[in-house]
Amino acid sequence: MLNQRGDLDKVFHALADPSRRTMVERLGRGPASVSELAKPLAMSLPAVVQHLAVLEASGLVKSEKVGRVRTCRIEPKVLNMAEQWITQRKATWESRLDRLGDFLAETAPETESEEKRTDT
Amino acid sequence: MLNQRGDLDKVFHALADPSRRTMVERLGRGPASVSELAKPLAMSLPAVVQHLAVLEASGLVKSEKVGRVRTCRIEPKVLNMAEQWITQRKATWESRLDRLGDFLAETAPETESEEKRTDT
DNA sequence: GCGTTGGTTAAGCACATACTTAAGTATTCA
DNA sequence: TGAATACTTAAGTATGTGCTTAACCAACGC
């Protein structure tokens, strides 16, 4: 099984850095070596390797070394997990607004724009 | 205009913490005061306020103080932005696999399983 | 007015991040 | 064999994060 909480922590944290997102974007277009990933980034190779480690720890990226080159590829399952969390948030939020709309339509069809419902 | 890069940094970073995700989940079900948000979290109020500050900085949450209670509500636009980034990654990745599949089908119809197709 | 409620500010601490440079280790190629 | 390539490891540093406690302030409620 997959530990939702900790996994989401790692995925969102991995995506919270622009260099790492650049790497993920690059890998979306196909596998790449470490130095290919490094090319567009204005930092040392070791720094890139550290970012890669974060991406691998999150499960977003897998890599394999053949000869002296390490080839990295994206792992979309984890990306789906993050997407699902967001989608679910949106779903509950939207259904709440729907229910609120229904409620307003039912009880007070003339009072249109009432949103300040700190109901509790 | 909205600065994609920095905004995404902030949103993903905001979502990378389980306490903050709990707060967002709660707010998805409707507006809440600071102490309501704090209730399920095993930490001091100031800590919660700091998390709230991160959420507000990301644009995910807005709040307004009336009397002595601050009421927080979710701001779904930013959530959409994060979702879109992920969706776009998935899209390019999938279209790449499609093109790869076409290529393999065209050039070498007998060599089937070249790219483990875990296609979700 | 005076205590209680709801939140805010400030300071401090432990630990994590995001880099750096320097020095390694394997491979590959001429 | 020996230089170049592609990382890898280690160590150091500056800055950021996630909490804490203590003290404070501004509404209510009576």
Side-chain angles (χ1 to χ4, degrees), chain B residues 33-35 45-46 49 65 68-70:
Chain B
S33 69
V34 174
S35 30
L45 232 207
V49 173
K65 196 163 180 176
R68 62 185 168 177
V69 13
R70 174 173 299 278

Side-chain angles (χ1 to χ4, degrees), chain A residues 33-35 46 65 68-70:
Chain A
S33 70
V34 174
S35 29
K65 195 161 183 177
R68 63 184 167 177
V69 9
R70 174 173 298 279

